[in-house]
Structures are given as structure tokens and as C-alpha cells.
Amino acid sequence: NEPSECPGYDCFDTWKNATLKGFELGFQKEDAWHPAVATLILLNEPDFFEHAPKCQPSGAWCRVKAALSAMDGVLAAENEAGVKAGRVKLTVTWSFAMTTSIDGKVNGPGIFGFQDMVAGIADPSLAHYTPRTPQADMEEAFKSRWVHGLNTQSPWSFVDEMVSKVYDQF
């Protein structure tokens, strides 16, 4: 975690500023996202944050706070710029590590992150985070725009076996 980018794993300002800058550079068309933008990958494998020396006390809160605050920053930028979300989806790609979710309810490759977001959206305090965007707006964006994602080099047959059997709960 680069302290200047997400101090204390709070990525709100970084993502709000980056999104506003993106709008200035052409990612905004009138009052919407440019049609070429379909999905924003907010973070790639933030589950590795919890083992970073700056994540003290060490734990899942670092990865979940980073993910929630990044989403919050994008929503705040859209609101400030008057950009309607439209069809643009949001995601975080979790690693395929065998990890337990922040609330302890799920353990497994990638799916821990799916549950992290379900739990973190429902109760951001699990991640020591207070959203700047109203809670109802965070919940609506998660419900209507969130795409669960993971990063893996495993063959589809293995991913299917490990994820598909439990995915419906998310």
C-alpha cells in the first residue's frame, strides 16, 4: 500500500480524484460515462494488503476498507460531476487464495472476497470504514452495479468446481 495513494487503506480520495480526472480526459460524455467504459476494476488482489507491514493490526479490514473506499470514491466523483452510472459496472478482482472472509462466514478461493463485499456493504464498520456516500446509495450501487471478480491461472474446470457450487449465496 503506497501511503500517498491510499493512506491507512482509505482509497476514497485517490479514486474520487482519478475518476474526476478521467471525466475531464474524456471518460464522460454529457451526463454519463463514455460508452466505451463498461466496467471499472477498482483494485486487483487487495487481499494481499492484510499481510503488508502497514496493515496494523494485520487483518482482512485492510483489504475490505480499500475496496469499500475505492467504490465510495467513484460514487462521490459521479455525484460531483453529475454523471449517471448507467450501465457501468464496478468490481474488485480477488486472488484465488484460500482465505476467510472478514466476517468469518466463508472460506475459499476468491469467494472470501465476494463475502467481504457483501458483509462490508452491509456493515462498513467491519473494515473500520465510514462511507462518505449515503449508506443507501452504497447498497444500491452494490446491488445494481457490482460484479464479483477473481484472478486465477487455474483451469476453468477447477474454478467451476471451487466457485460455482457456492456462488448463488452471493
Side-chain angles (χ1 to χ4, degrees), residues 141-164:
F142 183 72
K143 179 181 170 189
S144 63
R145 301 176 65 187
W146 192 259
V147 176
H148 292 298
L150 57 87
N151 233 350
T152 183
Q153 295 180 18
S154 299
W156 170 245
S157 58
F158 182 69
V159 174
D160 186 34
E161 178 184 330
M162 298 301 293
V163 176
S164 295

Side-chain angles (χ1 to χ4, degrees), residues 4-77:
S4 64
E5 293 174 6
C6 295
Y9 296 91
D10 186 334
C11 299
F12 177 88
D13 288 332
T14 300
W15 267 98
K16 181 179 178 189
N17 294 336
T19 303
L20 289 170
K21 185 68 171 175
F23 291 153
E24 290 174 17
L25 295 174
F27 289 106
Q28 179 178 353
K29 188 165 185 165
E30 297 172 6
D31 67 347
W33 282 89
H34 189 283
V37 180
T39 304
L40 296 180
I41 299 174
L42 304 175
L43 297 164
N44 181 50
E45 299 184 349
D47 39 303
F48 293 110
F49 291 167
E50 70 186 270
H51 304 295
K54 294 178 181 153
C55 179
Q56 294 298 322
S58 180
W61 71 270
C62 295
R63 68 180 187 237
V64 179
K65 181 177 182 179
L68 292 174
S69 61
M71 178 181 171
D72 192 8
V74 170
L75 298 177

